[in-house]
Each structure stands twice: as C-alpha cells, then as structure tokens.
Amino acid sequence: MTLRDLLEKLAAAAPAAIPVVGTVYAQVMADIGTDQLKGLLSEIKGLTNDRKATLNATNAELMSIQDALRQLVSDQSRKDKIPVIIPVGGEGGSLFPVTQVMPKCLVTIGCRSMLQHIIDPFYRHADLFERVTVLTGKYSDAIEENVKQGGYGDFVECKRLGGATLPAVMLNLRNSLPDKPFVIHYNDVLIENCDWPRIYNRYFEYKKREKHIGMLLCSRFYPHPLGIGVIREGRANILETFTEKPEQLVNGSLANVGIAMFEPELFEYIEASHRGLFEDTIAHVIKAKRPLTLYRVDNWHHIQDLKALYQIQNFADLSFLERRQE
C-alpha cells in the first residue's frame, strides 16, 4: 500500500478509526520522535478529523487500516535499528584448561554454544537490531563456522580486527559502524529472560530525557568471585561512580554485567592505550560529566571460571536459553 493509498483509506474510514489513529499518533510521537513520521501522522490525524461527519466503513476496513498503520510504524522502526558488537577475541584464561583447545564463546551450555545463546535474543528481535558483529581473534575459523551453523544468515558477521585491547579494536572498527547507537555484549554473560524490546525502548527514553552517552546494564546480584565492575548509583538510574574489580564491595552498589548501549559519541573518549571500555573509557566519560544511565536486570550468569561453568551446565534451569523462533 502506497502512502497516498494509506491516507485515502484513512480518510474514508469509520469514526472508530479516529481514536485508533490518535492513540498510535500519541505513542509514536513519544517513542520514535522522528520528524518525518510526526509530519505524516499529523497529516493522517488532520484528514480523519476533517471527515468525522461523513466517515463510514466496515470493521474489516478498519482492521486493514490498523494493519497499514502498524506496517508504516514498523517500516520507520527499521530505520532506527542498531548494531550489536560481541567481542570474542580474548584468551579466555579464566576457563583454562577448557580454553586450551577452544575459545570461551564456543563452550557448550545445554545444546548450543555460549555465543549462539548470546546471539539468539538479538536474532529474535531483528526488527530492533540491524546486525550482530562478532569481533574475533584466536580461533577465528572455528567461531565463524559456529556462527554459520547457528543459521543466522546475513544477520551475523564475523570480523578479524587488529588491536591488543577492546578499545583499540573498537577504534579500528569505527569507520565501518553506522552513525547510530550500538550495543556491546561481552561473550561470557548470559541474562535470564532478557527483555530486549524493553531495554531498547528504555534506552531511547533515557536518551531523550537525560541526553546520556550510554546505558549500562547492572544487577543487585554479585557473582563470586567478584570479577566484575561495581557501580554506585547517584540520583535514580544515573551512574555516579564505577570501579572495575574492586577489592571489596560497598553497600548499595550494583554489579556491572558487561552489557551496554552507547551513543557514537563514546568514540570521543576511547584511546588505543585504554585497557578496556569499562576499565578506562568509562572513567573518561565520568570525568567529563557526561551522563550514563542504568538498567537493572535480575538473574544473570557470569561464566568467569570453571566453577561458574560447572554450575550453569549442571544445576541452572536452562529453559531461559531455549531458542524461540518468531
């Protein structure tokens, strides 16, 4: 259906179409905020309001209008899809001797590799995420083969990029990334029942309200041993301080889960000499007083050592890892 067809259909719709269009109009205005879509839906609203007295259509026609409007919103949403980056080039020494013969991301949990479990939720929500880029190092061929076996098609690509640290690799990747927000997902983290549509919407809500540079996923649950960063919250949902792998915990602090969404502006704070994004780059962002927001998750698994791997393979309820195709 063309844009003109859609407008004509709406103009000839039943009076019941008016609140439907108005509701969608208000929601889209709040959530998407695209000038083009604002103008289009304003025009739609104006057309339907002008013909209230003469509108008369069947319920079937109204349903087709609703479907067309949903498609319109969906088409616009595709323009707002964001990339996902999964770095898997580390040595994986914490899982030695398992990682003597394979990378950490290919360790099997249930019947699939950890990497596939990480990719699956993004693949299920391809309406929100445009592509997953797996940054490989050692064992690149094996990782590429595992991705191929996952059946993701063009949705996932593997890239071999030089750089001793993730910040250096990210700087090499910069020119190939679109100028839009992106997700960083570390390769040893699994979140139970991760609601990516909600996380996605919350990110853009905070962006509009707080003008943040990024949003870090965090949790009140701490893995043991404490091989993570610790976050102190200032005002509600705003990061105040960040300490990577502290010697002890501070009451009221939150665990960084190694997953975040960032604005392209983050690259202004990345230096090739940084040890990691969370170790050094975040410190630069905080020093510059650029806001970072927080999103809490409940149950998550940090596969940081053999004990954690053994526990999730033998004792965890793995139903949350079941791949559900839409």
Side-chain angles (χ1 to χ4, degrees):
M1 181 181 291
T2 67
L3 172 60
R4 187 64 194 171
D5 290 338
L6 175 62
L7 295 176
E8 290 293 338
K9 196 79 172 178
L10 286 161
I18 301 300
V20 172
V21 172
T23 298
V24 176
Y25 173 84
Q27 182 176 354
V28 172
M29 289 278 284
D31 291 347
I32 296 182
T34 303
D35 291 340
Q36 180 183 1
L37 195 55
K38 287 181 182 178
L40 171 61
L41 293 179
S42 293
E43 184 179 357
I44 291 172
K45 191 175 182 183
L47 282 171
T48 53
N49 282 334
D50 290 340
R51 294 206 183 174
K52 277 184 181 179
T54 58
L55 293 179
N56 185 15
T58 64
N59 288 335
E61 288 173 325
L62 176 57
M63 288 302 297
S64 69
I65 292 165
Q66 289 176 292
D67 291 341
L69 193 52
R70 290 192 189 99
Q71 183 62 47
L72 175 67
V73 174
S74 176
D75 290 343
Q76 180 61 40
S77 296
R78 290 191 188 96
K79 298 178 182 179
D80 299 325
K81 292 195 293 186
I82 62 177
V84 178
I85 300 167
I86 305 174
V88 300
E91 292 294 327
S94 61
L95 290 184
F96 184 86
V98 175
T99 49
Q100 188 174 19
V101 294
M102 70 170 67
K104 182 191 294 187
C105 67
L106 297 191
V107 171
T108 300
I109 298 175
C111 61
R112 297 170 67 78
S113 71
M114 188 150 53
L115 177 59
Q116 290 177 348
H117 287 311
I118 291 171
I119 294 173
D120 285 347
F122 297 112
Y123 185 64
R124 292 197 297 270
H125 296 293
D127 57 326
L128 304 178
F129 304 100
E130 67 177 359
R131 173 168 287 186
V132 171
T133 299
V134 180
L135 303 179
T136 67
K138 191 177 180 181
Y139 302 112
S140 291
D141 291 341
I143 293 169
E144 291 174 14
E145 179 61 27
N146 187 255
V147 167
K148 182 179 179 181
Q149 292 174 359
Y152 306 110
D154 294 337
F155 183 73
V156 181
E157 64 174 350
C158 294
K159 284 193 175 183
R160 308 184 192 192
L161 294 175
T165 64
L166 179 57
V169 172
M170 291 295 294
L171 289 174
N172 290 332
L173 182 67
R174 176 67 184 103
N175 291 335
S176 63
L177 283 176
D179 189 26
K180 58 174 65 176
F182 59 91
V183 174
I184 286 282
H185 195 308
Y186 278 22
N187 74 328
D188 57 358
V189 176
L190 297 174
I191 297 178
E192 296 192 19
N193 305 313
C194 189
D195 189 348
W196 273 110
R198 181 177 175 82
I199 295 170
Y200 177 96
N201 290 332
R202 186 63 58 83
Y203 179 86
F204 286 101
E205 174 189 329
Y206 285 160
K207 178 181 176 179
K208 184 176 181 180
R209 189 171 69 202
E210 304 290 348
K211 295 180 173 55
H212 64 185
I213 192 172
M215 183 176 77
L216 276 57
L217 273 62
C218 58
S219 178
R220 296 191 183 280
F221 169 73
Y222 296 93
H224 182 76
L226 189 63
I228 46 84
V230 171
I231 292 167
R232 286 297 302 273
E233 183 180 29
R235 57 191 177 90
N237 301 316
I238 303 295
L239 182 146
E240 183 177 79
T241 64
F242 183 96
T243 306
E244 181 66 13
K245 299 179 181 178
E247 293 182 1
Q248 61 184 11
L249 293 174
V250 179
N251 289 337
S253 54
L254 299 163
N256 174 47
V257 305
I259 304 172
M261 296 176 68
F262 291 112
E263 290 293 301
E265 182 190 349
L266 182 74
F267 284 94
E268 298 177 15
Y269 300 90
I270 299 176
E271 297 179 7
S273 60
H274 285 175
R275 294 166 297 167
L277 291 180
F278 293 112
E279 288 91 333
D280 295 322
T281 306
I282 292 300
H284 278 204
V285 172
I286 295 172
K287 185 176 180 180
K289 299 187 184 302
R290 293 293 290 113
L292 288 159
T293 55
L294 304 173
Y295 182 95
R296 289 172 175 76
V297 298
D298 294 323
N299 300 320
W300 66 292
H301 302 268
H302 185 199
I303 319 301
Q304 61 178 327
D305 55 21
L306 292 175
K307 179 180 179 181
L309 177 62
Y310 178 75
Q311 287 177 335
I312 193 171
Q313 285 179 331
N314 293 278
F315 298 107
D317 177 4
L318 300 181
S319 61
F320 73 95
L321 295 177
E322 293 177 1
R323 185 176 181 184
R324 297 182 297 275
Q325 299 289 355
E326 292 187 348

